[in-house]
Amino acid sequence: MGESQKVKTGWSLWLIAIGAGMWGLDAVFILALQKSFTSTEIVLLEHILLAFFAIPVLIWKRHEVRKLNILDWGAVLFVAWGGSAIASILFNNGLQVGLTANNVNVVLILQKLQPLFAVLLATLVLGERLRRGYWLLFAVAMFGAYLLTFGFQIPQTAAKGALSSGLYAIGAAVLWGGSTVMGKRIVNKVSFPTMTALRFAVALPFLLGIVSFQHPHIGAMAVSLTKLHVLGNLLYQTIVPSLLSLLLYYRGLNGVRASYATLAELAFPATGIFVDWLFLGQTVHLAQWIGFAIVWLAVLRLSQDPNRATTRDGASSPSAA
């Protein structure tokens, strides 16, 4: 692989890490919004606002959308319904329960289980082959994940709410890990703005159905939206952790393999634990700081690995194989 290609894929990996890191900035804002809306309503309102981006892009890029076949649309549905809708709802529920159980950090950090699911799906769906050195790096990153989650202790689930919040988080991790792989399939065929727009637009009718089934109090929602701090919070949540982060993420995903991209996504919980420590008073122990450093060093080492690129059609380059 040429030197210019190494630089390109290195930047792609860091774009994914930066985008994922922005997701870690939203826990404080989500918990504030949950005083006015349910978790499902928050996700729906975000997607309604995101439709102002998605619909014009899909009209502009309609020639790209026509390239998608039936299997591609299945991948889009998985990303939109599973990753953008259901996973977001599960994660928000996990944060809500986790705050009661003083367990918010664990909810965030359990997202590092994503690589376990993404690597398996990348092998099955995309036919990616991993060199032996990847697994050593993977093991190091998982060790950092363990330290961030449990410290030097054996996992405990006896605390009230800890188990349910953990299950919500693991469910979100499964769906987001799968979305990395399915999204990689699509960005091999369309541009990153189109992929981002598809994710938001296809999720919207699904979310409308879920919220309608739950019989929301429309009047109370409307009153909450007239409050400046609530509306400002929702706009931030929509623009920064949702739109801008995913544009960076899908731009980067086009240049690296899904199995490596999912390790770069560890920037999400690593950033989240720092934000929660600053603003939510969540305890951060020495072992968690060590785990934080290990996660970031794993991302740094990964960005320097020349054996992680794929070709534009999704096949591994010779050095990657």
Side-chain angles (χ1 to χ4, degrees):
M1 179 166 50
E3 196 63 35
S4 61
Q5 181 65 18
K6 293 180 184 179
V7 173
K8 178 183 177 182
T9 51
W11 275 109
S12 294
L13 194 68
W14 277 107
L15 285 173
I16 293 172
I18 293 170
M22 293 170 73
W23 301 337
L25 302 176
D26 65 352
V28 176
F29 297 91
I30 289 174
L31 290 170
L33 285 172
Q34 286 177 345
K35 297 176 182 178
S36 304
F37 311 105
T38 66
S39 295
T40 310
E41 289 168 355
I42 293 171
V43 179
L44 171 63
L45 290 171
E46 289 177 7
H47 281 73
I48 290 174
L49 293 174
L50 289 165
F52 289 98
F53 162 83
I55 294 174
V57 169
L58 291 178
I59 294 173
W60 173 39
K61 298 283 190 178
R62 58 188 179 277
H63 61 283
E64 294 185 4
V65 178
R66 295 193 189 104
K67 299 177 184 177
L68 302 180
N69 58 37
I70 187 67
L71 293 178
D72 296 330
W73 279 108
V76 169
L77 285 176
F78 186 98
V79 172
W81 292 10
S84 200
I86 298 175
S88 297
I89 293 169
L90 291 175
F91 179 72
N92 288 359
N93 282 337
L95 287 178
Q96 189 173 38
V97 176
L99 184 64
T100 304
N102 194 29
N103 204 38
V104 172
N105 281 338
V106 173
V107 173
L108 282 164
I109 295 159
L110 281 174
Q111 301 314 306
K112 289 182 299 302
L113 293 175
Q114 289 183 39
L116 296 175
F117 311 110
V119 168
L120 176 61
L121 282 172
T123 303
L124 296 176
V125 177
L126 302 179
E128 292 190 0
R129 296 179 60 191
L130 303 178
R131 46 177 296 202
R132 188 174 302 170
Y134 173 85
W135 291 109
L136 176 60
L137 185 61
F138 179 84
V140 170
M142 288 300 100
F143 176 67
Y146 182 93
L147 289 180
L148 268 167
T149 307
F150 303 113
F152 297 122
Q153 300 176 350
I154 297 174
Q156 298 291 329
T157 58
K160 183 179 180 181
L163 179 59
S164 58
S165 63
L167 290 175
Y168 281 132
I170 292 171
V174 172
L175 291 171
W176 278 332
S179 294
T180 297
V181 177
M182 298 302 180
K184 176 62 181 173
R185 175 189 176 97
I186 305 305
V187 296
N188 286 329
K189 292 191 173 183
V190 303
S191 62
F192 70 95
T194 304
M195 179 64 238
T196 308
L198 282 169
R199 175 174 179 145
F200 296 144
V202 175
L204 182 55
F206 180 65
L207 286 165
L208 283 169
I210 293 177
V211 173
S212 299
F213 181 77
Q214 294 176 341
H215 305 293
H217 196 304
I218 303 299
M221 291 176 63
V223 171
S224 295
L225 289 172
T226 61
K227 300 175 182 178
L228 189 59
H229 69 281
V230 173
L231 183 58
N233 190 343
L234 183 63
L235 287 172
Y236 166 83
Q237 181 67 25
T238 301
I239 294 171
V240 180
S242 295
L243 178 58
L244 292 181
S245 65
L246 279 174
L247 285 171
L248 288 172
Y249 172 81
Y250 283 123
R251 175 62 184 87
L253 190 58
N254 186 47
V256 296
R257 300 165 68 181
S259 48
Y260 287 110
T262 193
L263 274 182
E265 292 173 27
L266 297 182
F268 163 38
T271 304
I273 191 174
F274 182 73
V275 170
D276 291 348
W277 170 67
L278 282 179
F279 297 104
L280 295 179
Q282 296 289 304
T283 305
V284 183
H285 303 290
L286 175 61
Q288 292 176 309
W289 285 117
I290 295 172
F292 183 99
I294 290 173
V295 167
W296 274 101
L297 287 173
V299 174
L300 175 62
R301 177 65 187 89
L302 194 59
S303 72
Q304 298 169 342
D305 187 352
N307 298 284
R308 62 182 178 279
T310 57
T311 60
R312 176 59 179 159
D313 64 359
S316 298
S317 66
S319 66

